[in-house]
Amino acid sequence: MNILKSAVVLLIVLSFIVPAVAADGENRYSYITIDSVDLELTKDKAIFDVNYHIDNGVEFLVIFLGKNDLKNKLEKMFSLGDGNFVTTTMESARITLNNPSVDYGDGSYWFPKKSFQVTVPVLNVKTARTDRTFYNVNEVPGMGYFGDPVPVTPSTDINKLRIESEPVTLVTPEPTPIVHYFR
């Protein structure tokens, strides 16, 4: 029984020895490897959906010890000190930030640049009017966006447009005889 306790303590100590900082150009931070991030920007929230995988040897420790260390590492990776974890699983996490953007008061917003501690292989940024994809980035560039989708008025609703016209008859001209060209 002493051997089992010693093995568990050794695994716990080894999990803290694993380096916590990623090298430049890597999508790995400690025992977490980032696969992709989906970021949705709304009027009053930024929703980060982080997809990752955890090293096989550490997976047991995360289950055994709880997800607090996993959440702390995700907060550090993405500089989300005031983020709220909605869900956290062994493959993904949803983190929300409240009021992350500057509101200009006219329906337009500015999301400031946000740096990461890791390189994200695929970053999808979605707003009400646009979708943008970035590859192998370690930051979200500062960007302006609109909080509401493009308004649809009855005059621009394509389903209600009706085009009426008179029938058109196409007339083809008579071909010019070849002799006409050699005079």
Side-chain angles (χ1 to χ4, degrees):
M1 203 56 152
N2 256 349
I3 295 174
L4 182 61
K5 288 180 184 178
S6 298
V8 169
V9 170
L10 180 63
L11 285 174
I12 292 170
V13 170
L14 286 175
S15 72
F16 292 111
I17 293 175
V18 175
V21 180
D24 287 339
E26 291 187 10
N27 60 335
R28 182 178 173 82
Y29 186 93
S30 186
Y31 56 84
I32 305 167
T33 303
I34 301 299
D35 297 323
S36 67
V37 175
D38 297 324
L39 171 60
E40 183 177 353
L41 299 172
T42 64
K43 294 178 189 179
D44 59 349
K45 287 189 181 179
I47 303 167
F48 286 84
D49 286 319
V50 183
N51 300 302
Y52 53 83
H53 58 274
I54 297 173
D55 292 349
N56 290 334
V58 182
E59 211 170 76
F60 170 75
L61 287 174
V62 173
I63 293 169
F64 183 69
L65 298 174
K67 296 179 182 170
N68 284 336
D69 185 56
L70 175 62
K71 289 178 181 179
N72 289 336
K73 287 188 178 5
L74 288 169
E75 280 181 349
K76 288 178 185 173
M77 270 192 273
F78 296 104
S79 306
L80 301 173
D82 57 346
N84 301 316
F85 282 84
V86 178
T87 60
T88 306
T89 68
M90 299 303 273
E91 297 88 27
S92 65
R94 175 171 273 199
I95 309 161
T96 60
L97 292 175
N98 292 323
N99 300 315
S101 302
V102 176
D103 183 355
Y104 289 119
D106 59 353
S108 64
Y109 300 85
W110 177 259
F111 184 77
K113 177 175 117 174
K114 183 168 272 309
S115 297
F116 306 144
Q117 298 289 325
V118 293
T119 298
V120 177
V122 179
L123 171 66
N124 298 307
V125 180
K126 180 181 178 187
T127 67
R129 296 187 189 183
T130 61
D131 292 326
R132 294 176 70 184
T133 301
F134 302 94
Y135 297 97
N136 297 318
V137 296
N138 57 3
E139 68 181 20
V140 177
M143 63 178 66
Y145 66 97
F146 293 99
D148 294 319
V150 176
V152 177
T153 61
S155 63
T156 59
D157 187 1
I158 193 143
N159 294 322
K160 294 182 180 179
L161 290 178
R162 186 173 178 179
I163 300 172
E164 294 181 14
S165 67
E166 296 295 322
V168 177
T169 306
L170 297 176
V171 178
T172 56
E174 291 292 323
T176 307
I178 295 178
V179 176
H180 177 60
Y181 290 111
F182 295 109
R183 283 189 198 182

